[in-house]
Amino acid sequence: MTGPGKNPDDAAEVIHEQRRECLCKLTKFVGAAGVAAAMWPLVAALGPDEQTQADGEPMDIPLGNVAPGETLRRVWRGKLVFIRHRTEQEIKLANALDGVSRIQPQADAQRVKPGHEQWLVVYGYCPHAGCIPNEQTGEKSGWLCPCHGSEFDLSGRVTRGPAEENMAIPDYAFHPDGQTLRIGVKDV
Ligand code: FES
C-alpha cells in the first residue's frame, strides 16, 4: 500500500521548486537584515513540521530494488526525504566517524534502526537555513549544502559549516519483511 504522498516522480520537481524558493528568500533576507536574522523563518518554513508529521498519512516505500549506494528521494507531506541504501563500507565509515563531529555529537547507531543499519532516512534539508544539500561521492561521501557550505556525512551528521544540527530524521519503521519502509509511524 502506498499512502497519499506525492508521486515519486515529483521529487525532482519539488527539489527544484524548493531550491529556487530557498535561494530567493535567502537573497532577500541577506540583503535586508543579514544571514543570522534570516535563518529562523526559513527553517520554520522549510524544515520538518511536527504538526504535519503527526497528522500526515504514512507513506510506504518499497526498498527491494534500491541498490547499495543508491539514494531515493521521496516527498512526504510536502517535505523531501532522502533514503540512502548505505554500502557495507559506508556503514563502517559512518561508525568510524562517531565522535568526529563536535557540532551535534551522535553515534551512527542513534541515527538508524537496529538491524537496518544499511538504511539512512533523513529529511532532505540543511538545518542551517533549509536549503537542499547535494549528494557527494568519493572520500567525502555524504551531502554538501550549496548555500553556505555545511557538510554532512553518510549518517546525516554535520561535520563542517554553519549548520548547528544534524539532518533531521522523520518517524519511520520497517515492515517485518524488511523490504518496505513506512514513513510517518514509529512502529509497524
Ligand atoms: S543553508 Fe546555510 S549551510 Fe545550508
Side-chain angles (χ1 to χ4, degrees), residues 22 26 35 39 125-133 144-152 160-163:
C22 180
L26 275 172
V35 174
M39 297 306 107
Y125 304 98
C126 173
H128 181 226
C131 291
I132 298 173
L144 170 65
C145 180
C147 290
H148 312 101
S150 287
E151 292 180 15
F152 304 88
R160 291 185 62 175

Side-chain angles (χ1 to χ4, degrees), residues 8-28:
D9 294 338
D10 293 342
E13 190 189 327
V14 168
I15 290 170
H16 180 71
E17 274 175 23
Q18 293 189 349
R19 275 206 168 120
R20 194 179 53 214
E21 275 175 29
C22 180
L23 289 173
C24 288
K25 286 176 183 174
L26 275 172
T27 305
K28 199 191 303 179

Side-chain angles (χ1 to χ4, degrees), residues 163-174:
E164 294 182 347
E165 292 176 17
N166 300 328
M167 293 170 81
I169 298 173
D171 285 340
Y172 70 92
F174 291 93

Side-chain angles (χ1 to χ4, degrees), residues 5-6 14 18 45-46 52 74-81 123 125:
K6 276 204 169 195
V14 168
Q18 293 189 349
L46 296 176
T52 303
R74 293 292 180 265
V75 177
W76 179 67
R77 300 294 292 178
K79 308 285 187 195
L80 183 63
V81 178
Y123 280 112
Y125 304 98

Side-chain angles (χ1 to χ4, degrees), residues 14 60 65 67 69 83 90 118 150 165 168 180:
V14 168
D60 286 351
N65 291 326
I83 302 136
E90 288 170 348
Q118 70 271 43
S150 287
E165 292 176 17
T180 306

